[in-house]
Amino acid sequence: MTARRGLRRPEPRTGEPDPGPPQALKLVGAVLANTTLLTALLYFFGLVETQVLFAYFRVHYTLLAQTPDEIFARGVDGLYLPLAGAAGAVLGFVIAVRILRLRLAEHSWARLLRICAPIAAGLGALLIISTVLVTLNPEPFRDRPGLPGLGFALGVLMLLFAWRHWASTLRSSLLELVLGYALVSIGLFWAVSDYSAAVGTRRGFEVAAQLPARPAATLYSAESLNLTAGGVLQVKCADPGAAYKYRYTGLKLLLQSGGQYVFVPSGWRADTGVAFVIPKTDKLRLEFGPARSAPPAAC
């Protein structure tokens, strides 16, 4: 039987590129699919937040042997807002470009690109120069975490856009895409690292503000621990047969991790407060009571 005219599938033209996502998107997808890389990034950002959080209380994080689960949880805390912001910004940009592309005629769209290319090149160069100056003197941007890295990534994207417009007749090389992706990734990595550190400081401030509402901790010890700083009271028990001969009041339990207790005085302050790191042993006993409870009358 002869096939009806008009129902035969057209043969693909010789030399025509296969349809599919752009090469840059394939590259980004390959990186995002790398679970090991994503896990390492999550751990790194969690470690940055952990370091800053405990440094706020003047405790070095290595003393506490934080578990990977604790660090990963803090990594999510410092990563989900930047990810949501970046995804929202990219989505909004793509929608705006598609709306303009649909509403503008071909010549108007080409004219808009000709106008935007030099503006993007100038702004991109200005952003990159500004971030280089920030690395020489980062102090003015301490209160704006993530802004320098974000500016660097945005500047690279603007320069790449201008270059691709001016060199539209040239085919993008893999090296060009990889280098562009690497520079943008460096900027975003810089931004998220700064943001994670800022989150660690904010979490430390929040924990310190909540200390008065935490249960009062009374620590009993078989041996003297000499905890007398910051208003902590040491009382030696009168009973000679007591298993725990010393009692310490005026404490708040900050954390228990890696076989260590971290206590701070009830009236801890960021400018003068101290922290006590005490090994968790059988010679210690803890009691918890209301946040503003009076010390026990006797051991």
Side-chain angles (χ1 to χ4, degrees):
M1 291 180 63
T2 57
R4 293 182 180 179
R5 188 173 296 178
L7 296 180
R8 184 179 301 170
R9 292 184 61 184
E11 297 293 333
R13 296 180 183 177
T14 307
E16 213 177 67
D18 293 334
Q23 194 171 8
L25 290 181
K26 291 181 179 179
L27 179 63
V28 174
V31 174
L32 292 178
N34 192 329
T35 307
T36 303
L37 177 60
L38 291 177
T39 302
L41 290 176
L42 199 62
Y43 187 87
F44 174 81
F45 295 132
L47 191 60
V48 170
E49 183 177 338
T50 298
Q51 292 175 357
V52 177
L53 171 62
F54 291 112
Y56 186 84
F57 293 96
R58 301 184 180 88
V59 176
H60 200 278
Y61 76 101
T62 55
L63 294 174
L64 305 178
Q66 291 277 279
T67 65
D69 289 342
E70 292 172 305
I71 294 177
F72 282 133
R74 295 194 185 97
V76 173
D77 186 29
L79 192 59
Y80 74 92
L81 274 183
L83 279 179
V90 172
L91 180 61
F93 177 78
V94 170
I95 291 175
V97 169
R98 286 189 175 275
I99 291 175
L100 285 174
R101 189 70 181 88
L102 290 173
R103 288 183 174 272
L104 295 178
E106 192 68 33
H107 65 280
S108 299
W109 175 253
R111 184 166 175 251
L112 179 62
L113 291 180
R114 285 197 303 270
I115 295 173
C116 291
I119 296 176
L123 288 176
L126 182 62
L127 284 172
I128 291 178
I129 292 173
S130 300
T131 54
V132 171
L133 295 178
V134 167
T135 59
L136 300 177
N137 182 25
E139 192 60 35
F141 290 87
R142 294 293 186 192
D143 297 332
R144 297 173 178 84
L147 191 59
L150 195 60
F152 180 81
L154 190 58
V156 172
L157 284 174
M158 287 183 172
L159 287 178
L160 285 175
F161 163 75
W163 165 248
R164 288 311 308 152
H165 176 72
W166 290 330
S168 56
T169 57
L170 301 177
R171 185 177 180 182
S172 299
S173 66
L174 181 60
L175 179 61
E176 181 181 319
L177 295 174
V178 170
L179 291 178
Y181 175 80
L183 289 174
V184 173
S185 299
I186 289 172
L188 295 177
F189 191 88
W190 179 6
V192 178
S193 296
D194 286 351
Y195 177 78
S196 296
V199 170
T201 301
R202 186 168 72 245
R203 294 290 179 257
F205 180 82
E206 292 171 353
V207 170
Q210 296 167 358
L211 283 176
R214 289 196 172 194
T218 302
L219 174 63
Y220 292 88
S221 175
E223 300 173 351
S224 175
L225 301 176
N226 296 318
L227 306 181
T228 56
V232 179
L233 299 178
Q234 172 183 286
V235 176
K236 187 174 182 179
C237 298
D239 184 2
Y244 302 96
K245 300 184 183 301
Y246 295 88
R247 184 188 71 198
Y248 298 88
T249 57
L251 293 168
K252 301 282 186 174
L253 179 63
L254 184 67
L255 180 77
Q256 187 277 127
S257 179
Q260 305 274 12
Y261 290 119
V262 181
F263 292 96
V264 293
S266 300
W268 189 91
R269 295 178 56 185
D271 53 348
T272 59
V274 298
F276 307 106
V277 180
I278 302 174
K280 182 180 178 181
T281 66
D282 294 336
K283 295 183 178 181
L284 301 178
R285 180 169 67 86
L286 291 177
E287 286 185 3
F288 296 96
R292 301 184 183 276
S293 59
C299 293

